[in-house]
Amino acid sequence: MDKEITIYDIAKEVGLSPTTVSRALSNHPRVKENTKEKILTAAKKMGYQSNIFASSLRKKRSKSIGVIIPKLNSPFQSSVMAGMEEIATQAGYNLVISQSTESLEKEITNATTMFNSRVDGLLVSKAGTTDDIEHFSPFFKKHIPVLFFDRVPENNNCTGVVINNTQAIYDATSHLIKEGCKRIVHVLGNLKINVYADRLKGYKYALLDHGIVFEEKNVINSDLGEESGDRIVEQILTLNPKPDGLLVSNDACAASCLMALKRKNIRIPEDIAIVGFNNDLISRMVEPNLSTINYPSYHMGEVAMKNLINHLDDEDHEILQKTNTITLRHELIIRGSSKR
Amino acid sequence: MDKEITIYDIAKEVGLSPTTVSRALSNHPRVKENTKEKILTAAKKMGYQSNIFASSLRKKRSKSIGVIIPKLNSPFQSSVMAGMEEIATQAGYNLVISQSTESLEKEITNATTMFNSRVDGLLVSKAGTTDDIEHFSPFFKKHIPVLFFDRVPENNNCTGVVINNTQAIYDATSHLIKEGCKRIVHVLGNLKINVYADRLKGYKYALLDHGIVFEEKNVINSDLGEESGDRIVEQILTLNPKPDGLLVSNDACAASCLMALKRKNIRIPEDIAIVGFNNDLISRMVEPNLSTINYPSYHMGEVAMKNLINHLDDEDHEILQKTNTITLRHELIIRGSSKR
DNA sequence: CTGAAAGCGCTAACAC
DNA sequence: GTGTTAGCGCTTTCAG
């Protein structure tokens, strides 16, 4: 293993001080163009590689950003990640990623790891199951910005990037009602997660505003997995009278329900109209095509990352202090599964 | 901002030397259990956080692993990532992720960034378009292990984790032939990518072994996007006689073709039998269900990461030196789209 | 089993 | 514009 080249070696080579070399390398304005060039040339020639550890140690910044998400292998979340990566790379930040696999315990471990690796900022989509954000307090104490997206904790003063879930499901529900549905079933996930709690609200409000009585039995809790269609459909069919509308909180599960219903010879949308959520690929591939809510996942990643980086690069670090919630635009996309 | 606690502070507190504190903190065997405990307690009480920059600077290791993939938002690749994350986190390594978005230029930039952030090892799925791996030479020179997965460069002595793409398509082709197909079209991506080149071979071999003449016009190049079905189908239908089998190199695109064919009132599998690739969710959601090759993506992530980490943790760093290729098991899954 | 001392490579005061 | 100096906080010989 050949020895590492340091700024001292370069300094010796060009007959200048290490300081000047350091300054030249980081493009400091008070270095003569001439010498800057000389140094850069020497650096390249000697195969110099800046030592980021030493630099970080001195500057107390890692130029890296941590992300904690529930699951990497989800169309929605991986798309958010892609947006984040784009922006981070562009801005010269490294992305350190870990997943909580929906476990609070793992989320806590991940947070600790991120803290110990001294990320400059943290982006989190909560594992759900609780609003507890105590495990991020080391960040808060050290004023390391933490920004939540999609799944945000309630009742706190962290910044969050979200869509208006209440309004989205309100729109979807209203649409179904307009299409003539009277008995709409809503399938959603863990109500401890803001996303689903908000959607339930939107569902209730829409019913209310259209003079339909809300009934507890029309709300089904599910893991929203791609395999759960049969189970959900079975449960739906015990209802009497049978429902004529179905609102499922993600497209994979909605598609699974759609397939299960078709296997039971129930016609979509005539017998039951369906609306999903996310606008994943799958929504365009099932038959009939699934109506859904377009969730701007990639864009959400971009926006979250942009705001975090702006905050970090801002001299006064006050951008996020002043921002509570950033709400992105969603959109109801009506397709064959609900248009009758 | 309150001052950081260092091992010196702890040393003063417990009346020992920084050296001993350092040793205790890293669980060095030659420290008395008693003092170890005392130090750990003090550390916790004082809110000590190890400074990873200083540690890395000294030890010349970052405890982080870089990953460069073409696209984060792909079902296949995000699943690989999930497997990698699992293992890396478990072993105490951070995952630094960046995407090349299929551009060699970005891949080069990413490689440089990874090199400069001094990852201990690198996992790469090539952007394709070239076998050039010159941009990884800084890693090679410094003996930083680089392990390729899925899309591996040919003709080099790097370790790669792959499936036997040739055999996979051989199996699929043979299956179609057994189902009575005589004119099988193969849709694949950029032939500069090993994955597709290998598959083309498998296709040719299978035809040969079953006495069917290979025809150039039956090979269609595509970006394999989820929107390309119409275009591909149009092209297929210009063939005369019409093909009766279709082999598409990924499920999203296969599904898209399937839909397009159905729109043209072509029956699946009676008129044309279809086999996809990857076993993505979509393959189980279209009708008829798509036959496909199960590609163990999550497992591939695990295996690649495990081997890299074993190598890093191995005293002699020779694990990867001795390994050329790790081939995972694939499996042909036969479903409605090709069973007749 | 513990400690003293040196240094990893860089940057930021502070001089000139 | 450039240089001197002093650490950042940790680990690792080498000594005892």
Side-chain angles (χ1 to χ4, degrees):
Chain A
M1 194 92 72
D2 17 42
K3 208 180 130 292
E4 294 265 334
I5 308 294
T6 74
I7 52 170
Y8 291 93
D9 301 323
I10 301 180
K12 215 168 288 171
E13 175 81 12
V14 298
L16 286 164
S17 79
T19 310
T20 306
V21 174
S22 170
R23 287 203 264 250
L25 254 22
S26 53
N27 205 22
H28 188 112
R30 276 216 298 269
V31 180
K32 233 197 299 180
E33 269 312 323
N34 197 348
T35 54
K36 205 178 274 184
E37 214 163 295
K38 196 161 55 180
I39 290 170
L40 258 39
T41 319
K44 183 164 277 177
K45 194 192 74 196
M46 302 170 73
Y48 169 75
Q49 181 197 12
S50 151
N51 187 314
I52 205 178
F53 303 146
S55 167
S56 292
L57 177 58
R58 259 323 300 245
K59 297 204 287 196
K60 299 179 186 303
R61 294 195 301 113
S62 62
K63 269 283 181 177
S64 73
I65 287 172
V67 185
I68 303 178
I69 52 170
K71 266 164 70 71
L72 265 164
N73 46 345
S74 120
F76 169 71
Q77 294 180 70
S78 63
S79 171
V80 177
M81 296 306 315
M84 290 182 170
E85 194 277 344
E86 178 86 40
I87 302 295
T89 301
Q90 224 169 266
Y93 282 87
N94 269 339
L95 248 206
V96 183
I97 298 179
S98 70
Q99 44 183 355
S100 60
T101 57
E102 301 285 7
S103 132
L104 177 61
E105 201 184 331
K106 275 202 79 185
E107 182 177 292
I108 294 174
T109 314
N110 291 344
T112 308
T113 309
M114 291 294 179
F115 185 68
N116 287 337
S117 40
R118 303 200 175 223
V119 294
D120 292 343
L122 189 64
L123 292 160
V124 183
S125 187
K126 290 259 323 146
T129 66
T130 160
D131 265 349
D132 184 19
I133 52 168
E134 187 50 43
H135 47 298
F136 298 113
S137 64
F139 290 90
F140 303 149
K141 273 187 203 133
K142 271 186 75 181
H143 303 289
I144 299 168
V146 178
L147 196 157
F148 291 90
F149 61 94
D150 186 40
R151 304 206 191 164
V152 304
E154 318 253 284
N155 312 319
N156 69 87
N157 38 29
C158 296
T159 306
V161 182
V162 294
I163 63 165
N164 188 334
N165 284 285
T166 305
Q167 186 64 45
I169 287 291
Y170 184 99
D171 295 349
T173 310
S174 304
H175 159 63
L176 285 178
I177 294 172
K178 254 172 240 149
E179 294 291 327
C181 299
K182 303 243 181 302
R183 298 172 303 281
I184 301 170
V185 167
H186 187 187
V187 180
L188 35 59
N190 190 331
L191 282 172
K192 294 245 178 81
I193 301 177
N194 65 304
V195 163
Y196 301 115
D198 288 351
R199 292 179 192 177
L200 182 55
K201 270 191 237 160
Y203 168 71
K204 285 182 179 171
Y205 294 166
L207 293 185
L208 183 72
D209 287 355
H210 291 85
I212 297 180
V213 179
F214 168 77
E215 293 187 80
E216 198 65 64
K217 65 174 192 207
N218 283 336
V219 174
I220 296 181
N221 245 273
S222 160
D223 64 356
L224 297 174
E226 50 167 289
E227 315 290 0
S228 32
D230 283 314
R231 212 170 333 120
I232 292 167
V233 165
E234 209 167 304
Q235 191 174 341
I236 283 175
L237 296 182
T238 63
L239 296 175
N240 193 349
K242 292 206 187 2
D244 52 9
L246 186 57
L247 219 50
V248 186
S249 249
N250 93 30
D251 282 340
C253 183
S256 176
C257 290
L258 187 147
M259 306 279 285
L261 285 167
K262 282 168 74 175
R263 277 193 292 273
K264 299 257 182 202
N265 291 318
I266 293 170
R267 293 169 306 161
I268 319 287
E270 295 81 359
D271 299 334
I272 297 189
I274 307 184
V275 179
F277 211 107
N278 281 2
N279 194 20
D280 287 337
L281 169 61
I282 190 95
S283 67
R284 279 156 269 149
M285 289 289 177
V286 289
E287 286 165 292
N289 277 195
L290 204 53
S291 296
T292 190
I293 305 285
N294 183 51
Y295 197 139
S297 46
Y298 191 91
H299 188 222
M300 174 170 276
E302 292 183 310
V303 168
M305 186 57 82
K306 227 175 241 163
N307 274 276
L308 180 58
I309 290 179
N310 281 347
H311 175 89
L312 288 171
D313 291 352
D314 173 43
E315 210 42 57
D316 309 320
H317 296 305
E318 52 180 21
I319 290 181
L320 293 182
Q321 251 100 69
K322 293 179 174 165
T323 314
N324 182 20
T325 304
I326 297 170
T327 307
L328 303 180
R329 217 177 294 286
H330 65 267
E331 184 192 0
L332 174 65
I333 299 177
I334 298 171
R335 301 206 185 98
S337 73
S338 71
K339 197 161 41 191
R340 31 193 194 183
Chain B
M1 195 91 75
D2 15 44
K3 208 180 131 289
E4 293 263 334
I5 308 294
T6 74
I7 53 171
Y8 290 93
D9 301 322
I10 301 179
K12 215 168 288 170
E13 175 79 14
V14 298
L16 285 163
S17 78
T19 311
T20 308
V21 174
S22 170
R23 287 204 263 249
L25 256 21
S26 54
N27 205 22
H28 189 111
R30 274 216 300 270
V31 181
K32 234 197 300 179
E33 269 311 321
N34 198 347
T35 54
K36 205 178 275 185
E37 213 163 298
K38 197 161 52 178
I39 289 170
L40 257 39
T41 321
K44 184 164 276 176
K45 194 193 74 197
M46 302 171 72
Y48 169 75
Q49 181 198 10
S50 150
N51 187 315
I52 205 178
F53 303 145
S55 167
S56 292
L57 177 58
R58 260 321 300 246
K59 297 203 288 197
K60 299 178 186 305
R61 293 195 300 113
S62 62
K63 270 282 179 179
S64 73
I65 288 172
V67 185
I68 302 178
I69 53 171
K71 265 165 71 71
L72 264 164
N73 46 345
S74 120
F76 169 71
Q77 294 180 69
S78 64
S79 172
V80 177
M81 297 306 314
M84 290 183 170
E85 194 277 344
E86 178 85 38
I87 302 296
T89 301
Q90 224 168 265
Y93 282 86
N94 270 338
L95 247 207
V96 182
I97 299 178
S98 70
Q99 43 183 354
S100 60
T101 57
E102 301 285 6
S103 133
L104 177 62
E105 199 184 332
K106 275 202 79 182
E107 182 176 292
I108 294 175
T109 313
N110 290 344
T112 309
T113 309
M114 290 295 179
F115 185 68
N116 287 336
S117 38
R118 303 199 173 224
V119 294
D120 292 343
L122 189 64
L123 292 160
V124 183
S125 186
K126 290 260 322 147
T129 65
T130 160
D131 265 348
D132 182 19
I133 52 169
E134 187 50 43
H135 46 298
F136 297 113
S137 64
F139 290 89
F140 304 149
K141 272 187 204 135
K142 270 187 74 179
H143 303 289
I144 298 168
V146 178
L147 197 157
F148 291 89
F149 60 95
D150 185 42
R151 304 207 191 164
V152 305
E154 319 253 284
N155 313 319
N156 69 88
N157 38 27
C158 297
T159 307
V161 181
V162 294
I163 64 167
N164 188 333
N165 284 287
T166 305
Q167 186 63 46
I169 286 290
Y170 184 98
D171 295 348
T173 310
S174 304
H175 158 64
L176 285 177
I177 295 171
K178 254 172 242 149
E179 294 292 326
C181 298
K182 303 243 181 302
R183 299 171 303 281
I184 301 171
V185 167
H186 187 187
V187 180
L188 35 58
N190 190 332
L191 281 171
K192 294 246 177 80
I193 302 178
N194 66 304
V195 164
Y196 302 115
D198 287 351
R199 292 180 192 175
L200 182 56
K201 269 190 235 158
Y203 167 73
K204 286 182 179 171
Y205 294 166
L207 293 184
L208 184 72
D209 287 355
H210 292 85
I212 297 181
V213 179
F214 167 78
E215 293 188 78
E216 198 65 63
K217 65 173 191 206
N218 283 335
V219 175
I220 296 181
N221 246 273
S222 160
D223 63 357
L224 296 175
E226 50 166 288
E227 315 288 1
S228 32
D230 283 313
R231 211 172 333 122
I232 292 168
V233 166
E234 209 167 306
Q235 191 174 340
I236 283 175
L237 296 182
T238 63
L239 296 175
N240 194 346
K242 292 207 189 354
D244 52 9
L246 186 57
L247 219 50
V248 186
S249 248
N250 93 30
D251 283 339
C253 184
S256 176
C257 291
L258 186 149
M259 305 280 285
L261 285 167
K262 282 168 74 174
R263 277 194 291 275
K264 300 253 184 204
N265 293 318
I266 293 169
R267 293 169 307 162
I268 321 288
E270 294 81 0
D271 299 334
I272 298 189
I274 307 184
V275 178
F277 211 106
N278 281 2
N279 194 18
D280 287 336
L281 169 61
I282 190 92
S283 68
R284 279 157 268 146
M285 290 288 177
V286 290
E287 285 165 293
N289 277 195
L290 205 52
S291 296
T292 189
I293 305 285
N294 183 52
Y295 197 140
S297 47
Y298 191 92
H299 189 223
M300 174 170 277
E302 291 182 311
V303 168
M305 186 57 81
K306 226 174 239 162
N307 275 276
L308 180 57
I309 290 179
N310 281 347
H311 175 88
L312 289 172
D313 291 352
D314 174 42
E315 210 42 56
D316 309 320
H317 297 303
E318 54 180 19
I319 289 181
L320 293 181
Q321 251 100 71
K322 292 178 175 164
T323 314
N324 182 19
T325 303
I326 298 169
T327 307
L328 304 181
R329 215 177 298 284
H330 66 267
E331 185 193 359
L332 174 64
I333 299 177
I334 298 171
R335 301 207 184 97
S337 73
S338 70
K339 196 162 43 191
R340 35 191 193 181

